[in-house]
Amino acid sequence: MKNLKIAIQKSGRLNEKSVQLLKNCGLDFENYKSSLITTVNNFSLEILFLRDDDIPGYVAQGIADLGIVGENVIDESRVTVEYLQRLGFGKCTLKIGVPKDSAIKKVDDLQGKAIATSYPVILQEFLDEHKIQATIREISGSVEIAPGLGLSDAICDIVSTGGTLKSNGLKPFADVRKSEAILIGSKGIEENPILCELLQRIQSVLRAKETKYVVLNVEKTNLPQITELLHGVKSPTVVPLAEEGWVAVHTVITEDDFWDKINTLKAAGAQGIVVMPIEKIIL
Ligand code: PRT
Ligand code: ZN
């Protein structure tokens, strides 16, 4: 069967995590900074390294079968691709920001104003939704300095920590769109067996990332309380310890309620709690 081609960002914020995700899926490939394409040695896949802005177009045209790119870039490019899997990294929000002392306090105040952005398509949709007539000034980078230069009254840009807005004397006041990295595919790719295999591996890596393997010791008398608190992949594994009356409990818990769970388990008599990362979970 013909190799599939996946396009990932060559360098930038999504490169490292995209490469890591593919490696965690057991794919063996060289990642030379200078190469534009590499072949995976143990899977029917070639990897293309591209600018992120080019990825949705390549996938839409079928030059690449798959791609990993931010949702913001897909929306801005206006092409039609299949959304296959959210990947949980590259999380950010496209926000509208204004100078700290601006009279613009709510979305309606943007009426008749000028907004600088690198995302004119997404911004126009947002303005239409809110029935705002504003001038969009498209610039390709350093959007944050536009108000200071008198180029615009507001900006619409990606924010993750908010540090860049703050250091440029701006404050965010409206969310336009949330985004994260996503696996996309060209139309009709869903049934492809190579993709199905890759998707299964990606999903098992993502599931494992959200969970921890926990081993703890507990006196048998406290076991019912502990098992009540733990709902693992199935039910917890309970193994007798050499010391009479004690058992070890093995289970999997989700990262989200990790600290809550650990504290309640301790209160219920759990001791010697060991928490380990999980590499993959195959259901
Ligand atoms: O060279 P190439 O075209 O491939 O890359 P690029 O420079 O266009 O994109 P890159 O690598 O900066 O970002 C790739 C993707 O990462 C984006 O399309 C988003 O989906 C996602 N992402 C996540 C971010 C951020 N977080 C982010 N913080 N993209 C950009 N930023 C920038 C933002 O533009 C602003 O300048 O970081 C600054 C704000 O960050 P904070 O933390 O100060 O708020
Ligand atoms: Zn880009």
Side-chain angles (χ1 to χ4, degrees):
M1 191 178 293
K2 202 171 123 284
N3 279 356
L4 288 190
K5 291 192 180 71
I6 185 167
I8 67 172
Q9 195 187 23
K10 180 166 170 55
S11 62
R13 288 167 198 267
L14 302 185
N15 166 270
E16 208 175 298
K17 291 212 166 130
S18 305
V19 167
Q20 198 52 53
L21 174 67
L22 297 177
K23 296 230 161 175
N24 288 347
C25 287
L27 308 188
D28 172 37
F29 58 91
E30 299 295 344
N31 180 27
Y32 298 121
K33 284 281 167 230
S34 56
S35 61
L36 298 176
I37 184 161
T38 187
T39 303
V40 176
N41 298 320
N42 57 353
F43 198 81
S44 306
L45 193 70
E46 281 162 51
I47 304 172
L48 311 181
F49 297 93
L50 302 175
R51 294 250 352 235
D52 67 347
D53 316 72
D54 295 333
I55 293 176
Y58 270 54
V59 173
Q61 291 171 55
I63 298 167
D65 306 285
L66 303 169
I68 294 179
V69 68
E71 290 169 291
N72 53 307
V73 178
I74 308 168
D75 283 3
E76 191 59 32
S77 69
R78 274 200 273 208
V79 296
T80 309
V81 290
E82 304 291 340
Y83 283 57
L84 300 171
Q85 177 68 52
R86 307 178 86 82
L87 299 172
F89 60 87
K91 286 188 179 173
C92 55
T93 309
L94 196 59
K95 294 191 186 208
I96 299 196
V98 289
K100 270 202 313 269
D101 51 2
S102 170
I104 302 172
K105 305 272 185 234
K106 52 186 195 307
V107 175
D108 280 348
D109 298 338
L110 291 168
Q111 203 68 253
K113 299 287 194 264
I115 311 169
T117 189
S118 311
Y119 296 93
V121 172
I122 302 177
L123 176 58
Q124 188 62 62
E125 268 171 26
F126 175 84
L127 295 174
D128 290 348
E129 237 170 68
H130 290 82
K131 307 200 169 27
I132 306 283
Q133 304 261 354
T135 306
I136 297 179
R137 301 219 195 283
E138 185 178 349
I139 50 179
S140 59
S142 306
V143 173
E144 300 86 359
I145 59 169
L149 297 176
L151 196 66
S152 70
D153 305 291
I155 65 155
C156 171
D157 197 17
I158 285 176
V159 175
S160 58
T161 61
T164 308
L165 282 188
K166 206 167 170 197
S167 62
N168 284 282
L170 304 171
K171 59 176 186 201
F173 85 98
D175 288 4
V176 173
R177 192 211 197 293
K178 288 200 180 311
S179 173
E180 70 182 88
I182 184 161
L183 177 73
I184 53 170
S186 41
K187 256 187 131 13
I189 196 77
E190 290 103 319
E191 302 295 313
N192 183 291
I194 303 170
L195 167 65
C196 293
E197 168 69 27
L198 181 65
L199 210 46
Q200 195 194 6
R201 292 191 191 195
I202 290 177
Q203 285 163 353
S204 74
V205 171
L206 295 177
R207 261 196 300 274
K209 234 171 66 191
E210 290 161 6
T211 49
K212 298 272 182 251
Y213 193 84
V214 177
V215 181
L216 57 87
N217 297 334
V218 65
E219 254 182 305
K220 254 188 183 163
T221 45
N222 291 329
L223 185 59
Q225 248 179 299
I226 297 284
T227 44
E228 177 72 15
L229 288 168
L230 296 169
H231 307 282
V233 170
K234 266 203 175 151
S235 64
T237 308
V238 180
V239 194
L241 291 185
E243 190 178 335
E244 191 60 36
W246 282 78
V247 289
V249 178
H250 294 231
T251 195
V252 168
I253 65 175
T254 59
E255 181 90 67
D256 279 353
D257 53 11
F258 175 71
W259 288 111
D260 274 358
K261 273 256 165 78
I262 294 296
N263 289 329
T264 1
L265 288 168
K266 270 167 76 178
Q271 294 184 11
I273 305 173
V274 177
V275 181
M276 290 166 275
I278 299 175
E279 200 173 300
K280 293 180 184 67
I281 296 184
I282 323 285
L283 291 182

